[in-house]
Amino acid sequence: MTIFDEMVEELHPKTPNERVNAKHEVMQQIALAGLWQGGFFEHAAFYGGTCLRLFHGVRRFSEDMDFTQTEKNPNIHLEDYFPHIIEAFKLTGREISITKKDKKTFGKVESAFLKDNTDVFDIAFQTEKTIKVKIELDTNPPLGFDTEQKVLHKPFSFMVRCVTLPDLYAGKMHALAFRIWKTRVKGRDWYDFEWYVANKIPLDFAHLQQRIKEFNGIELTRDSFMQALRERLANTDISLVKEDVLRFLRADLRELDIWSNDYFLMLADKIVFL
């Protein structure tokens, strides 16, 4: 059994879907280890739902890996760190390929939330090409966020520079309120929103304002943002929200029984601003 296989089994997958999720998670950890070995986190930080999963214990699996430069630097490129990622996978017994994604092939949900200067790649196994992880680096990011160092111990001990929780929260609320979709609602945004509220994480509204300004070209006050958020929470089909998030959860799905538009509007009233 390879190190990769051992790491998958340590997540105790019980169903085929959970095994796929577990493989994704192990791939994410190994990619982070390779990036650390290459010195990537001297220039960039990890954020998004996968960061929340790996370092803060949110109870859902995640697919993509999102990174942001900590200072705007045109000389930092993900491709420069690929040899380190490939070597980290070799150490765990797996061969991978890394390919650049053509943004012309992105769906509307995906493309509408990416700036032109975001680099996007897929990491895939050479023998299981359907098992892949998407990695993104925003090379011209909205700044004004804080970072902290976090530790992982598999496949070996290493450090990851992560965006702090109040600023991760800001990124999530930007996605929840402004992500463009029709029938493909990203219920994972809603799941994470519930987690932030339940754990009393304060929301960095200044960073949220910066993200909205740079991505959407508008300036919002706290009141106007809350109005936009409540409209999204009140008018979204909750059945679509649940449908999206189900495949990322363990077999016990009773935690979604309480979900309704009214429930999420109640959560909005509990947002604590930094």
Side-chain angles (χ1 to χ4, degrees):
M1 182 179 286
T2 65
I3 294 173
F4 182 91
D5 295 331
E6 290 175 359
M7 291 174 68
V8 169
E9 294 307 319
E10 287 174 3
L11 293 172
H12 306 294
K14 296 181 177 64
T15 66
N17 185 59
E18 287 183 6
R19 183 163 293 278
V20 169
N21 285 331
K23 287 182 177 181
H24 282 142
E25 184 158 312
V26 171
M27 290 178 73
Q28 292 158 356
Q29 293 184 53
I30 297 168
L32 288 171
L35 289 169
W36 172 78
Q37 284 188 313
F40 178 70
F41 296 110
E42 296 172 14
H43 312 284
F46 190 30
Y47 75 102
T50 303
C51 182
L52 200 62
R53 162 73 180 175
L54 292 180
F55 293 104
H56 299 286
V58 68
R59 292 176 56 189
R60 72 164 179 89
F61 286 103
S62 185
E63 283 182 319
D64 305 333
M65 304 182 74
D66 303 306
F67 301 97
T68 175
Q69 286 190 0
T70 51
E71 295 179 354
K72 297 184 181 185
N73 184 342
N75 298 316
I76 302 301
H77 304 286
L78 273 171
E79 295 100 317
D80 296 337
Y81 302 91
F82 288 174
H84 302 282
I85 296 175
I86 291 168
E87 182 60 28
F89 272 93
K90 284 183 179 178
L91 290 173
T92 67
R94 300 304 298 260
E95 298 281 342
I96 60 161
S97 59
I98 306 177
T99 56
K100 189 162 189 173
K101 293 200 69 172
D102 184 354
K103 295 176 189 176
K104 294 178 182 178
T105 66
F106 286 0
K108 289 183 178 179
V109 176
E110 198 172 28
S111 62
F113 221 66
L114 283 178
K115 293 189 292 186
D116 289 340
N117 49 8
T118 300
D119 293 333
V120 186
F121 299 86
D122 278 337
I123 300 174
F125 293 134
Q126 293 183 0
T127 55
E128 294 177 86
K129 295 191 182 298
T130 58
I131 305 292
K132 59 186 177 182
V133 169
K134 185 176 70 177
I135 57 175
E136 301 176 9
L137 172 64
D138 189 342
T139 56
N140 185 28
L143 299 176
F145 57 85
D146 293 322
T147 64
E148 60 185 346
Q149 295 287 347
K150 293 288 187 178
V151 178
L152 283 177
H153 297 289
K154 294 291 180 74
F156 47 79
S157 295
F158 63 98
M159 303 281 282
V160 176
R161 188 178 189 180
C162 298
V163 173
T164 59
L165 279 171
D167 293 317
L168 285 173
Y169 194 0
K172 182 55 61 177
M173 297 312 292
H174 175 226
L176 179 57
F178 292 96
R179 198 187 296 275
I180 298 172
W181 36 254
K182 291 184 178 179
T183 57
R184 185 191 167 201
V185 181
K186 195 165 184 180
R188 288 153 280 175
D189 292 341
W190 299 59
Y191 190 93
D192 295 350
F193 169 45
E194 180 187 42
W195 185 91
Y196 282 113
V197 173
N199 286 276
K200 298 182 172 59
I201 307 300
L203 171 61
D204 185 348
F205 188 69
H207 182 55
L208 175 57
Q209 284 180 306
Q210 187 68 23
R211 295 188 70 84
I212 294 170
K213 182 178 180 180
E214 292 201 22
F215 276 91
N216 306 97
I218 57 176
E219 297 189 27
L220 293 183
T221 64
R222 187 180 298 181
D223 288 343
S224 57
F225 167 74
M226 289 303 298
Q227 180 180 350
L229 175 65
R230 288 192 176 99
E231 288 177 2
R232 174 60 60 96
L233 297 176
N235 296 317
T236 302
D237 186 339
I238 288 295
S239 65
L240 296 177
V241 176
K242 291 184 179 182
E243 181 181 340
D244 173 78
V245 80
L246 283 175
R247 63 192 175 97
F248 297 99
L249 301 180
R250 295 285 187 177
D252 185 359
L253 306 176
R254 288 173 294 179
E255 59 187 307
L256 304 188
D257 288 349
I258 195 174
W259 282 23
S260 68
N261 295 91
D262 287 341
Y263 172 65
F264 280 98
L265 287 168
M266 291 173 65
L267 292 182
D269 293 334
K270 294 178 178 292
I271 294 173
V272 176
F273 291 94
L274 194 62

